Amino acid sequence: MAEFRTCPETGFKIDLQADKLIKWNAVTSVVFLLVGGLFGLLVALTRWPEIHLLPAELYYLVLTGHGLDILLVWIIFFEMALLYFTSAILLNARLVAPMLGWIQYWLMLVGAAATNVAVLQGNSSVMFTSYVPLQAEPLFYAGIIVFAVGALIGCGVFFATLVTAQREKTFEGSMPLVTFGAMVAAIIAVFTIATGAAILLPTLLWSLGLIPYIDSLLYKVVWWAMGHSSQQINVAAHIACWYAIGGILFGAKPLSEKVSRMAFFMYILFLQLASAHHLLVEPGISSEYKIFNTSYALYIAVLGSMIHGLTVPGSIEAAQRKKGFNKGLFEWLRKCPWGNPVFSGMFISLVSFGFLGGISGVVLGTEQLNLIMHNTMYVPGHFHATVGAGTTLAFMALAYWVVPVLYQKELWGAGMAKWSPYLFGLGISLIAVFQMGAGTLGAPRRHWDMTLSEAAIGFDLPPAAFLMMGLNGVAALIAGLGGAIFILNMVGTILLGAPKAAPAVAPAAPAASGAAVSGSAEGVTVPGTFFLAIIFLVTFILYYFVNWKFLASVWPLS
C-alpha cells in the first residue's frame, strides 16, 4: 500500500516513494549538470583562439563528454523527476510500481556512468553524434542503451500512474495542461528510444566485431530520428514547466486550453520533420523530399512552439490584468516578481528560446540557407539557444520552486539565487549569438582548430570570426558562474537550508495549486503579448532577409 504525506505549503497528497524518486533523479541530474558544465567550459576555452587550452585529443574527449552529459544525462534525469511530479504529485495519485521507478533510476545511473567511463578512457571520442565510421568502445554504446532502457521504464511508470489516477478519480475534470505536456514528452520519448535502439544496437554489435559494416548514410538518417527527437522531448517538457510556473506564481490559465493542448499534440505529429535539417547536405536524401520538408512541412513543424510562445506570456498577462495591473502595455510585466529566480528563469528561457532558438531553427530548416551554415558553429549556437537557454534555464527555474517545497526547507543563498538566471541566461544566450555569428562567417563546427592549420587546403576566416569565438569564451565563463550559483543553491538548500515554518493558514485544496488547474482565461485582452509577438515577427523577417542577402553575397550568380 502506498504511503502519503500532505505538503503543508501546497496541500498536495504526496506519495512517499514518488517523493524519494523525484529527489534522487533531480539531485543526480544536477550532479551531471556540474560534470557536463565543466566539460563545456574546457570546450569553450579551447575554442577561444587566444587560449586554445587543450590539445586535439583531449578536446574531442571533453566535447564528447559535454554533449553526452548535457544533451542527454542531465536533462533526461530531470525529466524523469518531472514525469513523477506531474503524475503522482500534481494528480494526488499513488505512484504505480515504485520498484520499477527505482530500476529506472539505477539503470540510468549505471548507463550514464558507464558511458562517461568509456569517454574518459580516451578511446571513445566520437562526439555526441558518434557518426560511423568513427568507432567507440562497446562500453560507450552499451551505456547509452542501458540508460535509454531505464528512461523507457520511467515512461512506463508515468503512463501507468496516469491511468491509475484517472481510474481512481484522484483529480477532477480533465488532465491538467502541465501533465498533458509531460505526457506528450513521454510519448515522444518512446519514439526516440525506439529509433535509438534501431541504430545503436547494430552499432554496438559493429563495435564488438560481430557486424562487419554499417552504412554511414543509413546511420545518420536513423540516428537523427533519435538525436533531434530527443530535443523535442525537451521542448515539450520545458514548455510544460513554463505553464507550471505561470500557474504556480500567478494562478495563470492558458488563453485557450484547447489550443494549447492542440499545440502540444502537434509535436507528436510533426516535430520529427525538423530532424531533416541535419540531413540537407546528404546525397542519399532525395531533392524532392528536401524541397517539401523545407518549403512546406517546416511551417507545421514550428507552429506548435509559436502558439506556446504566445499563450504562455498571454496567460501571465491575463492573470496580471485580472489583478489590476492594467496601465499601458506592460505594467503587468513590470509588476512581475523579477527578483524571484523561478519567474526570471522561466521568462528568460521563454524569450531566449523564441528569439534565438526558434528563429535560428527556421533558418537552419531552409535548404538554401542551410548550405552556408551546415557543419559550422551556427549549429551548436542553435543548440545552445534551444537546450541551454530554453530547456536548461526552464528546468533550473522550476527546481528553484520544487526543491524547497519537497525538502520543506527555505532556499539557501536566496540573495545569490536571484542573480543566477540573469547570469546563466545572459551567458548562454551570448554563447548562442556568438557561435551563430562565427558560424555564419564560416567557423567550422567539429574541427579542434578553427584555422584548419593542419589541413591540406587552408581557409582564411575573417577577423570577426576570431573575435566572436573569443567573446564566446567570455560568455561561457558568465554562464558557468550562473550555473555554479544554481548548483550551490540546490546543494545548500538540501544540506543547509532552514526548515520551513508551518503556514499560519491551512493550505488550499490541492486543486487550487495553479500547476494542477485546468481551464482557460476568459474575457481578458492581452495587448502587451500581441505587441511582443509583433516584435518577434519583425525580428524574424529582418533576420531572415539578412541571411538571404548574405547567401547572395557568398554564392554569386553570373
Side-chain angles (χ1 to χ4, degrees), residues 128-190:
F128 177 65
T129 51
S130 56
Y131 280 161
V132 171
L134 293 175
Q135 188 177 82
E137 293 294 317
L139 185 63
F140 177 88
Y141 304 110
I144 295 176
I145 292 168
V146 171
F147 180 85
V149 170
L152 184 62
I153 291 172
C155 291
V157 173
F158 169 76
F159 290 131
T161 302
L162 292 186
V163 172
T164 301
Q166 180 73 39
R167 182 183 301 144
E168 296 179 357
K169 302 185 186 305
T170 62
F171 63 98
E172 298 179 1
S174 58
M175 179 190 301
L177 181 63
V178 174
T179 305
F180 185 84
M183 182 184 70
V184 168
I187 292 171
I188 299 173
V190 173

Side-chain angles (χ1 to χ4, degrees), residues 8 12 21 32 65 160 173 175 188 199 221 238 288 314 333 335 348 355 397 446 448 470 508-509 518 529 536 546:
F12 282 128
L21 279 166
F32 279 102
M175 179 190 301
I188 299 173
I199 197 60
V221 171
H238 81 234
E288 290 81 4
L333 192 56
K335 296 296 184 179
I348 296 170
F355 277 83
R446 299 178 183 275
W448 163 73
S518 298
T529 299
F536 174 85
V546 166

Side-chain angles (χ1 to χ4, degrees), residues 132 135-146 196-211 214 219:
V132 171
Q135 188 177 82
E137 293 294 317
L139 185 63
F140 177 88
Y141 304 110
I144 295 176
I145 292 168
V146 171
I199 197 60
L200 289 180
L201 284 173
T203 310
L204 171 61
L205 298 177
W206 171 66
S207 70
L208 289 168
L210 301 177
I211 291 179
I214 298 242
Y219 178 92

Side-chain angles (χ1 to χ4, degrees), residues 75-324:
I75 284 179
I76 296 181
F77 262 117
F78 194 92
E79 285 166 350
M80 290 297 109
L82 185 66
L83 291 184
Y84 298 142
F85 174 78
T86 56
S87 57
I89 307 301
L90 284 190
L91 302 183
N92 295 284
R94 61 184 177 89
L95 187 72
V96 175
M99 182 58 67
L100 289 178
W102 289 110
I103 292 173
Q104 162 265 308
Y105 174 80
W106 288 109
L107 283 177
M108 286 178 60
L109 182 60
V110 169
T115 305
N116 271 274
V117 167
V119 170
L120 292 172
Q121 286 176 338
N123 295 319
S124 299
S125 300
V126 292
M127 297 176 285
F128 177 65
T129 51
S130 56
Y131 280 161
V132 171
L134 293 175
Q135 188 177 82
E137 293 294 317
L139 185 63
F140 177 88
Y141 304 110
I144 295 176
I145 292 168
V146 171
F147 180 85
V149 170
L152 184 62
I153 291 172
C155 291
V157 173
F158 169 76
F159 290 131
T161 302
L162 292 186
V163 172
T164 301
Q166 180 73 39
R167 182 183 301 144
E168 296 179 357
K169 302 185 186 305
T170 62
F171 63 98
E172 298 179 1
S174 58
M175 179 190 301
L177 181 63
V178 174
T179 305
F180 185 84
M183 182 184 70
V184 168
I187 292 171
I188 299 173
V190 173
F191 169 84
T192 302
I193 294 168
T195 53
I199 197 60
L200 289 180
L201 284 173
T203 310
L204 171 61
L205 298 177
W206 171 66
S207 70
L208 289 168
L210 301 177
I211 291 179
Y213 173 75
I214 298 242
D215 182 80
S216 60
L217 177 60
L218 176 64
Y219 178 92
K220 287 183 179 181
V221 171
V222 181
W223 192 93
W224 277 113
M226 173 196 70
H228 198 275
S229 300
S230 67
Q231 309 317 311
Q232 313 316 328
I233 305 170
N234 306 338
V235 172
H238 81 234
I239 290 175
C241 290
W242 293 348
Y243 282 111
I245 291 170
I248 290 165
L249 297 183
F250 304 97
K253 296 181 180 181
L255 300 178
S256 170
E257 188 178 19
K258 290 181 180 179
V259 171
S260 293
R261 288 178 187 269
M262 180 56 66
F264 272 123
F265 186 65
M266 290 178 71
Y267 286 161
I268 299 174
L269 298 178
F270 304 122
L271 257 184
Q272 319 313 327
L273 294 169
S275 303
H277 84 71
H278 295 281
L279 304 167
L280 294 176
V281 300
E282 299 298 333
I285 308 297
S286 70
S287 297
E288 290 81 4
Y289 176 73
K290 292 176 183 177
I291 293 170
F292 165 76
N293 183 281
T294 59
S295 299
Y296 303 100
L298 173 68
Y299 302 109
I300 57 175
V302 302
L303 183 56
S305 293
M306 294 284 286
I307 292 171
H308 293 305
L310 291 172
T311 190
V312 172
S315 67
I316 295 173
E317 180 178 0
Q320 288 285 79
R321 288 187 180 277
K322 283 185 177 181
K323 295 175 183 177

Side-chain angles (χ1 to χ4, degrees), residues 408-426:
Q408 281 301 290
K409 292 186 176 183
E410 299 292 344
L411 179 65
W412 183 86
M416 288 191 302
K418 67 181 181 181
W419 293 105
S420 174
Y422 295 102
L423 289 170
F424 185 82
L426 173 66

Side-chain angles (χ1 to χ4, degrees), residues 319-401:
Q320 288 285 79
R321 288 187 180 277
K322 283 185 177 181
K323 295 175 183 177
F325 300 121
N326 290 303
K327 292 181 181 178
L329 287 175
F330 294 118
E331 185 190 22
W332 66 274
L333 192 56
R334 295 195 309 272
K335 296 296 184 179
C336 286
W338 290 99
N340 184 342
V342 180
F343 172 76
S344 60
M346 181 277 290
F347 206 84
I348 296 170
S349 163
L350 188 153
V351 173
S352 298
F353 179 79
F355 277 83
L356 297 177
I359 293 175
S360 63
V362 173
V363 169
L364 277 175
T366 305
E367 184 178 15
Q368 297 91 329
L369 299 179
N370 184 284
L371 295 177
I372 62 173
M373 299 170 186
H374 189 87
N375 250 359
T376 70
M377 286 302 298
Y378 196 99
V379 177
H382 167 69
F383 283 164
H384 282 85
T386 55
V387 180
T391 302
T392 294
L393 194 50
F395 287 178
M396 286 179 174
L398 187 65
Y400 271 120
W401 180 80

